[in-house]
mmCIF file of all heavy atoms in Angstrom:
data_model
loop_
_atom_site.group_PDB
_atom_site.id
_atom_site.type_symbol
_atom_site.label_atom_id
_atom_site.label_comp_id
_atom_site.label_asym_id
_atom_site.label_seq_id
_atom_site.Cartn_x
_atom_site.Cartn_y
_atom_site.Cartn_z
ATOM 1 N N ILE U 1 5.168 5.830 3.624
ATOM 2 C CA ILE U 1 4.551 4.517 3.805
ATOM 3 C C ILE U 1 4.052 3.984 2.465
ATOM 4 O O ILE U 1 4.287 2.819 2.105
ATOM 5 C CB ILE U 1 3.396 4.605 4.818
ATOM 6 C CG1 ILE U 1 3.938 5.013 6.188
ATOM 7 C CG2 ILE U 1 2.638 3.285 4.910
ATOM 8 C CD1 ILE U 1 2.858 5.335 7.208
ATOM 9 N N LEU U 2 3.388 4.840 1.691
ATOM 10 C CA LEU U 2 2.909 4.436 0.369
ATOM 11 C C LEU U 2 4.070 4.125 -0.573
ATOM 12 O O LEU U 2 3.983 3.208 -1.397
ATOM 13 C CB LEU U 2 2.019 5.532 -0.215
ATOM 14 C CG LEU U 2 0.668 5.725 0.482
ATOM 15 C CD1 LEU U 2 -0.033 6.973 -0.040
ATOM 16 C CD2 LEU U 2 -0.221 4.498 0.284
ATOM 17 N N PHE U 3 5.162 4.866 -0.444
ATOM 18 C CA PHE U 3 6.350 4.596 -1.266
ATOM 19 C C PHE U 3 6.892 3.196 -0.979
ATOM 20 O O PHE U 3 7.241 2.453 -1.916
ATOM 21 C CB PHE U 3 7.426 5.653 -0.991
ATOM 22 C CG PHE U 3 8.718 5.390 -1.715
ATOM 23 C CD1 PHE U 3 8.872 5.771 -3.041
ATOM 24 C CD2 PHE U 3 9.770 4.748 -1.073
ATOM 25 C CE1 PHE U 3 10.064 5.521 -3.716
ATOM 26 C CE2 PHE U 3 10.958 4.492 -1.726
ATOM 27 C CZ PHE U 3 11.113 4.883 -3.059
ATOM 28 N N ILE U 4 6.966 2.825 0.289
ATOM 29 C CA ILE U 4 7.452 1.488 0.663
ATOM 30 C C ILE U 4 6.503 0.416 0.126
ATOM 31 O O ILE U 4 6.946 -0.606 -0.429
ATOM 32 C CB ILE U 4 7.589 1.385 2.192
ATOM 33 C CG1 ILE U 4 8.700 2.306 2.682
ATOM 34 C CG2 ILE U 4 7.869 -0.057 2.620
ATOM 35 C CD1 ILE U 4 8.769 2.439 4.197
ATOM 36 N N ILE U 5 5.203 0.648 0.266
ATOM 37 C CA ILE U 5 4.225 -0.321 -0.228
ATOM 38 C C ILE U 5 4.357 -0.491 -1.740
ATOM 39 O O ILE U 5 4.344 -1.616 -2.258
ATOM 40 C CB ILE U 5 2.799 0.133 0.133
ATOM 41 C CG1 ILE U 5 2.564 -0.001 1.646
ATOM 42 C CG2 ILE U 5 1.753 -0.675 -0.631
ATOM 43 C CD1 ILE U 5 1.259 0.579 2.129
ATOM 44 N N ARG U 6 4.512 0.607 -2.454
ATOM 45 C CA ARG U 6 4.557 0.552 -3.920
ATOM 46 C C ARG U 6 5.847 -0.060 -4.450
ATOM 47 O O ARG U 6 5.870 -0.578 -5.565
ATOM 48 C CB ARG U 6 4.397 1.965 -4.501
ATOM 49 C CG ARG U 6 3.154 2.703 -4.088
ATOM 50 C CD ARG U 6 1.895 2.011 -4.557
ATOM 51 N NE ARG U 6 1.790 1.955 -5.997
ATOM 52 C CZ ARG U 6 0.817 1.333 -6.654
ATOM 53 N NH1 ARG U 6 -0.109 0.673 -5.969
ATOM 54 N NH2 ARG U 6 0.775 1.345 -7.964
ATOM 55 N N ASN U 7 6.912 -0.016 -3.667
ATOM 56 C CA ASN U 7 8.207 -0.457 -4.171
ATOM 57 C C ASN U 7 8.715 -1.764 -3.568
ATOM 58 O O ASN U 7 9.672 -2.342 -4.092
ATOM 59 C CB ASN U 7 9.259 0.627 -3.945
ATOM 60 C CG ASN U 7 9.062 1.828 -4.853
ATOM 61 O OD1 ASN U 7 9.503 1.845 -5.992
ATOM 62 N ND2 ASN U 7 8.374 2.843 -4.351
ATOM 63 N N TYR U 8 8.113 -2.223 -2.473
ATOM 64 C CA TYR U 8 8.634 -3.409 -1.788
ATOM 65 C C TYR U 8 7.564 -4.456 -1.528
ATOM 66 O O TYR U 8 7.688 -5.245 -0.596
ATOM 67 C CB TYR U 8 9.304 -3.012 -0.463
ATOM 68 C CG TYR U 8 10.494 -2.111 -0.655
ATOM 69 C CD1 TYR U 8 10.377 -0.725 -0.535
ATOM 70 C CD2 TYR U 8 11.750 -2.636 -0.982
ATOM 71 C CE1 TYR U 8 11.472 0.112 -0.725
ATOM 72 C CE2 TYR U 8 12.841 -1.809 -1.174
ATOM 73 C CZ TYR U 8 12.694 -0.442 -1.039
ATOM 74 O OH TYR U 8 13.775 0.388 -1.236
ATOM 75 N N SER U 9 6.527 -4.472 -2.340
ATOM 76 C CA SER U 9 5.465 -5.452 -2.129
ATOM 77 C C SER U 9 4.926 -5.956 -3.459
ATOM 78 O O SER U 9 4.845 -5.205 -4.445
ATOM 79 C CB SER U 9 4.324 -4.826 -1.318
ATOM 80 O OG SER U 9 3.208 -5.679 -1.282
ATOM 81 N N GLU U 10 4.547 -7.237 -3.485
ATOM 82 C CA GLU U 10 3.913 -7.808 -4.668
ATOM 83 C C GLU U 10 2.457 -7.358 -4.775
ATOM 84 O O GLU U 10 1.953 -7.152 -5.871
ATOM 85 C CB GLU U 10 3.979 -9.340 -4.599
ATOM 86 C CG GLU U 10 5.395 -9.899 -4.539
ATOM 87 C CD GLU U 10 5.403 -11.395 -4.293
ATOM 88 O OE1 GLU U 10 4.304 -11.989 -4.236
ATOM 89 O OE2 GLU U 10 6.501 -11.968 -4.163
ATOM 90 N N ASP U 11 1.787 -7.223 -3.633
ATOM 91 C CA ASP U 11 0.369 -6.844 -3.608
ATOM 92 C C ASP U 11 0.216 -5.339 -3.411
ATOM 93 O O ASP U 11 -0.364 -4.878 -2.416
ATOM 94 C CB ASP U 11 -0.353 -7.609 -2.501
ATOM 95 C CG ASP U 11 -0.497 -9.074 -2.823
ATOM 96 O OD1 ASP U 11 -0.932 -9.387 -3.941
ATOM 97 O OD2 ASP U 11 -0.156 -9.907 -1.966
ATOM 98 N N LYS U 12 0.733 -4.562 -4.338
ATOM 99 C CA LYS U 12 0.731 -3.102 -4.196
ATOM 100 C C LYS U 12 -0.692 -2.551 -4.099
ATOM 101 O O LYS U 12 -0.988 -1.712 -3.252
ATOM 102 C CB LYS U 12 1.447 -2.468 -5.386
ATOM 103 C CG LYS U 12 2.884 -2.928 -5.569
ATOM 104 C CD LYS U 12 3.477 -2.350 -6.832
ATOM 105 C CE LYS U 12 4.882 -2.900 -7.064
ATOM 106 N NZ LYS U 12 5.478 -2.387 -8.317
ATOM 107 N N LYS U 13 -1.559 -3.013 -4.983
ATOM 108 C CA LYS U 13 -2.917 -2.477 -5.024
ATOM 109 C C LYS U 13 -3.670 -2.801 -3.741
ATOM 110 O O LYS U 13 -4.307 -1.924 -3.149
ATOM 111 C CB LYS U 13 -3.663 -3.050 -6.227
ATOM 112 C CG LYS U 13 -5.061 -2.484 -6.414
ATOM 113 C CD LYS U 13 -5.706 -3.019 -7.671
ATOM 114 C CE LYS U 13 -7.105 -2.430 -7.854
ATOM 115 N NZ LYS U 13 -7.761 -2.948 -9.084
ATOM 116 N N PHE U 14 -3.586 -4.054 -3.302
ATOM 117 C CA PHE U 14 -4.287 -4.466 -2.078
ATOM 118 C C PHE U 14 -3.794 -3.676 -0.877
ATOM 119 O O PHE U 14 -4.595 -3.155 -0.085
ATOM 120 C CB PHE U 14 -4.094 -5.968 -1.843
ATOM 121 C CG PHE U 14 -4.539 -6.416 -0.478
ATOM 122 C CD1 PHE U 14 -5.888 -6.604 -0.205
ATOM 123 C CD2 PHE U 14 -3.613 -6.622 0.545
ATOM 124 C CE1 PHE U 14 -6.306 -6.998 1.053
ATOM 125 C CE2 PHE U 14 -4.026 -7.017 1.807
ATOM 126 C CZ PHE U 14 -5.382 -7.200 2.061
ATOM 127 N N LEU U 15 -2.480 -3.576 -0.715
ATOM 128 C CA LEU U 15 -1.923 -2.913 0.468
ATOM 129 C C LEU U 15 -2.177 -1.409 0.443
ATOM 130 O O LEU U 15 -2.375 -0.797 1.496
ATOM 131 C CB LEU U 15 -0.427 -3.200 0.573
ATOM 132 C CG LEU U 15 -0.069 -4.637 0.959
ATOM 133 C CD1 LEU U 15 1.437 -4.829 0.994
ATOM 134 C CD2 LEU U 15 -0.674 -5.003 2.306
ATOM 135 N N THR U 16 -2.171 -0.806 -0.742
ATOM 136 C CA THR U 16 -2.516 0.616 -0.838
ATOM 137 C C THR U 16 -3.951 0.838 -0.387
ATOM 138 O O THR U 16 -4.250 1.740 0.403
ATOM 139 C CB THR U 16 -2.345 1.124 -2.276
ATOM 140 O OG1 THR U 16 -0.982 0.951 -2.682
ATOM 141 C CG2 THR U 16 -2.706 2.600 -2.383
ATOM 142 N N ASN U 17 -4.862 -0.024 -0.877
ATOM 143 C CA ASN U 17 -6.264 0.085 -0.491
ATOM 144 C C ASN U 17 -6.453 -0.127 1.013
ATOM 145 O O ASN U 17 -7.166 0.629 1.676
ATOM 146 C CB ASN U 17 -7.103 -0.945 -1.261
ATOM 147 C CG ASN U 17 -7.328 -0.544 -2.704
ATOM 148 O OD1 ASN U 17 -7.263 0.630 -3.045
ATOM 149 N ND2 ASN U 17 -7.573 -1.514 -3.559
ATOM 150 N N ILE U 18 -5.807 -1.167 1.537
ATOM 151 C CA ILE U 18 -6.026 -1.504 2.948
ATOM 152 C C ILE U 18 -5.455 -0.417 3.851
ATOM 153 O O ILE U 18 -6.020 -0.112 4.904
ATOM 154 C CB ILE U 18 -5.439 -2.895 3.272
ATOM 155 C CG1 ILE U 18 -6.204 -3.536 4.435
ATOM 156 C CG2 ILE U 18 -3.958 -2.833 3.618
ATOM 157 C CD1 ILE U 18 -7.620 -3.899 4.120
ATOM 158 N N PHE U 19 -4.324 0.185 3.466
ATOM 159 C CA PHE U 19 -3.766 1.281 4.265
ATOM 160 C C PHE U 19 -4.695 2.486 4.245
ATOM 161 O O PHE U 19 -4.967 3.090 5.302
ATOM 162 C CB PHE U 19 -2.387 1.674 3.734
ATOM 163 C CG PHE U 19 -1.849 2.939 4.339
ATOM 164 C CD1 PHE U 19 -1.458 2.988 5.664
ATOM 165 C CD2 PHE U 19 -1.753 4.103 3.583
ATOM 166 C CE1 PHE U 19 -0.975 4.157 6.231
ATOM 167 C CE2 PHE U 19 -1.272 5.274 4.136
ATOM 168 C CZ PHE U 19 -0.888 5.301 5.464
ATOM 169 N N LEU U 20 -5.191 2.862 3.076
ATOM 170 C CA LEU U 20 -6.060 4.043 2.972
ATOM 171 C C LEU U 20 -7.392 3.815 3.688
ATOM 172 O O LEU U 20 -7.918 4.724 4.334
ATOM 173 C CB LEU U 20 -6.287 4.395 1.504
ATOM 174 C CG LEU U 20 -5.051 4.904 0.746
ATOM 175 C CD1 LEU U 20 -5.387 5.143 -0.722
ATOM 176 C CD2 LEU U 20 -4.518 6.191 1.380
ATOM 177 N N ILE U 21 -7.945 2.599 3.573
ATOM 178 C CA ILE U 21 -9.195 2.291 4.271
ATOM 179 C C ILE U 21 -8.981 2.367 5.788
ATOM 180 O O ILE U 21 -9.793 2.938 6.527
ATOM 181 C CB ILE U 21 -9.713 0.901 3.854
ATOM 182 C CG1 ILE U 21 -10.209 0.945 2.409
ATOM 183 C CG2 ILE U 21 -10.831 0.431 4.789
ATOM 184 C CD1 ILE U 21 -10.522 -0.412 1.821
ATOM 185 N N ALA U 22 -7.874 1.762 6.262
ATOM 186 C CA ALA U 22 -7.567 1.813 7.692
ATOM 187 C C ALA U 22 -7.363 3.252 8.158
ATOM 188 O O ALA U 22 -7.815 3.636 9.247
ATOM 189 C CB ALA U 22 -6.312 0.987 7.981
ATOM 190 N N LEU U 23 -6.705 4.053 7.340
ATOM 191 C CA LEU U 23 -6.449 5.449 7.693
ATOM 192 C C LEU U 23 -7.751 6.248 7.754
ATOM 193 O O LEU U 23 -7.973 7.028 8.697
ATOM 194 C CB LEU U 23 -5.482 6.072 6.680
ATOM 195 C CG LEU U 23 -5.095 7.524 6.915
ATOM 196 C CD1 LEU U 23 -4.444 7.701 8.278
ATOM 197 C CD2 LEU U 23 -4.137 8.008 5.812
ATOM 198 N N LEU U 24 -8.623 6.065 6.760
ATOM 199 C CA LEU U 24 -9.904 6.777 6.754
ATOM 200 C C LEU U 24 -10.745 6.405 7.971
ATOM 201 O O LEU U 24 -11.378 7.273 8.579
ATOM 202 C CB LEU U 24 -10.673 6.448 5.472
ATOM 203 C CG LEU U 24 -10.209 7.153 4.199
ATOM 204 C CD1 LEU U 24 -10.915 6.572 2.979
ATOM 205 C CD2 LEU U 24 -10.466 8.657 4.287
#
């Protein structure tokens, strides 16, 4: 999931943060 976010999104930092926050 993080690989897809990092490679297929303009907002990599935002989406990484939002995924990890949602997961926690």
Side-chain angles (χ1 to χ4, degrees):
I1 297 171
L2 291 171
F3 176 82
I4 293 171
I5 289 173
R6 303 297 296 176
N7 289 276
Y8 297 97
S9 171
E10 300 173 3
D11 290 311
K12 302 175 184 178
K13 184 176 181 180
F14 168 78
L15 289 178
T16 300
N17 285 336
I18 208 67
F19 170 69
L20 292 177
I21 290 170
L23 181 59
L24 283 171

